Amino acid sequence: MSSKPISVLITGANRGLGLEMVKQMVDTQSPLTPLSVLFACCRDPDGPRAEELRALAKKHPDIIKVICMDTADRSSIRQSAEQVGSLLGEKGLNLVINNAAILINSTLVDSTPEDMAKTFNTNVIGPMSVIQEFLPYLRAAAKNSEVPGMSCRKAAVVNMSSIIGSIENIQAIQKYLTAVPYRISKAALNMLNACAAFEFQKEEILFTVLHPGWVRTAMGTAYAPIDREESIQGVLQVINSMSEKHHGVLTDYKGQTINW
Ligand SMILES: NC(=O)c1ccc[n+]([C@@H]2O[C@H](COP(=O)([O-])OP(=O)(O)OC[C@H]3O[C@@H](n4cnc5c(N)ncnc54)[C@H](OP(=O)(O)O)[C@@H]3O)[C@@H](O)[C@H]2O)c1
């Protein structure tokens, strides 16, 4: 029996891991096929940093819809939710990937209140606002599904976090990177996910956290051991295999559970 087409939304889809997700998802070999629509969100869809995304959207006009969304700006998130809602119809939205984030690499001594506020605004308040604004469409998808349980084909939010937000792993990681505002923001994102997992359990909307590995992107730097293709191949397989076992859990791109 073939799977029903699913609708997906990705934030920060114009470069790095977000763009790689878009690339791999429109490939017919992707584990997440078939797609009905892929909302590729970015804050400057007409600017030079979205050139590759625009070219990809031109190649797949029936699937990729480029949407303007600044995840540090609540009114921009609300406007994009209205736009997405008008394109979606009644079936709702199956999968939201909160991917956009920033990293300020400062120590505790160097971190300013502005660094912290900016990082929290994008990495924590952004994903929270996305969850809130897109909740009606996730709820519609969960209600419309005839399948019991949880999955990304029903209604799910994947929050892209990082092992470096793990308090338990601090000893192992501190020597490579300080990035205090970023690490605190990812620990907070993990808690946001835990709260959402608790609150939406009964509605069978899956909330999960993923660590994509240390990857060669602008954020991950050229020193990272793995490339985008490898990371996202793993990420998409993990997302596709998710069930209620992943609800409220932090997993890496290989499907291994990570301690908080
Ligand atoms: N790379 C790694 O090694 C690694 C490891 C662990 C976790 N992660 C996580 O994986 C995700 C993707 O990381 P990446 O490596 O792809 O980072 P990246 O190359 O720096 O890309 C970040 C993306 O987020 C977007 N973004 C930032 N602020 C935004 C805002 N206010 N509104 C909309 N978009 C915004 C950027 O768009 P602009 O072009 O407009 O700036 C860009 O598309 C992040 O959540 C990151 O924390 C990455």
Side-chain angles (χ1 to χ4, degrees):
M1 198 177 75
S2 66
S3 306
K4 272 190 185 169
I6 61 167
S7 49
V8 180
L9 180 141
I10 304 172
T11 66
N14 60 305
R15 60 185 173 94
L17 299 180
L19 180 66
E20 184 62 30
M21 281 190 242
V22 178
K23 270 187 199 164
Q24 291 195 22
M25 278 188 195
V26 291
D27 186 327
T28 49
Q29 302 300 311
S30 158
L32 286 174
T33 53
L35 294 183
S36 57
V37 58
L38 201 174
F39 298 105
C41 304
C42 60
R43 56 181 154 179
D44 186 12
D46 300 321
R49 284 208 304 269
E51 203 174 323
E52 224 184 309
L53 176 62
R54 286 197 300 274
L56 207 53
K58 213 170 161 188
K59 255 174 96 180
H60 303 273
D62 297 338
I63 300 289
I64 301 176
K65 308 289 172 207
V66 179
I67 304 285
C68 182
M69 188 204 289
D70 182 343
T71 60
D73 176 354
R74 180 74 186 227
S75 64
S76 166
I77 297 172
R78 185 163 299 145
Q79 276 170 24
S80 61
E82 281 166 14
Q83 195 187 347
V84 165
S86 69
L87 294 168
L88 263 179
E90 282 164 15
K91 285 187 194 141
L93 181 59
N94 301 108
L95 174 62
V96 170
I97 304 180
N98 269 322
N99 168 73
I102 57 166
L103 184 153
I104 297 173
N105 190 13
S106 52
T107 64
L108 186 53
V109 169
D110 297 334
S111 298
T112 64
E114 290 75 24
D115 290 342
M116 197 63 150
K118 199 174 161 196
T119 308
F120 251 69
N121 203 24
T122 308
N123 297 7
V124 187
I125 300 172
M128 181 190 80
S129 303
V130 168
I131 292 166
Q132 291 170 333
E133 294 293 341
F134 288 88
L135 191 57
Y137 314 134
L138 288 160
R139 280 185 162 144
K143 274 203 183 128
N144 277 327
S145 168
E146 286 135 26
V147 188
M150 292 180 178
S151 83
C152 71
R153 295 187 175 274
K154 183 173 181 173
V157 175
V158 174
N159 291 301
M160 296 298 278
S161 189
S162 172
I163 194 169
I164 79 166
S166 160
I167 295 168
E168 196 165 315
N169 285 296
I170 190 147
Q171 294 281 9
I173 291 157
Q174 184 73 22
K175 59 182 179 229
Y176 298 113
L177 189 70
T178 49
V180 168
Y182 177 79
R183 300 173 83 161
I184 296 174
S185 75
K186 291 299 187 184
L189 178 67
N190 295 349
M191 180 54 98
L192 171 72
N193 186 80
C195 296
F198 192 76
E199 201 165 322
F200 300 107
Q201 170 95 24
K202 279 203 189 118
E203 294 181 65
E204 296 191 329
I205 303 174
L206 173 65
F207 279 87
T208 197
V209 199
L210 262 187
H211 167 60
W214 182 17
V215 196
R216 289 190 291 278
T217 63
M219 185 183 289
T221 77
Y223 299 107
I226 62 169
D227 62 23
R228 282 172 275 194
E229 289 77 8
E230 182 181 352
S231 165
I232 296 306
Q233 273 168 18
V235 163
L236 296 189
Q237 269 170 20
V238 172
I239 292 177
N240 190 45
S241 71
M242 280 177 167
S243 66
E244 40 286 352
K245 277 190 264 170
H246 298 86
H247 188 55
V249 173
L250 168 61
T251 314
D252 74 5
Y253 72 107
K254 291 180 175 168
Q256 303 292 319
T257 304
I258 298 175
N259 293 333
W260 303 110

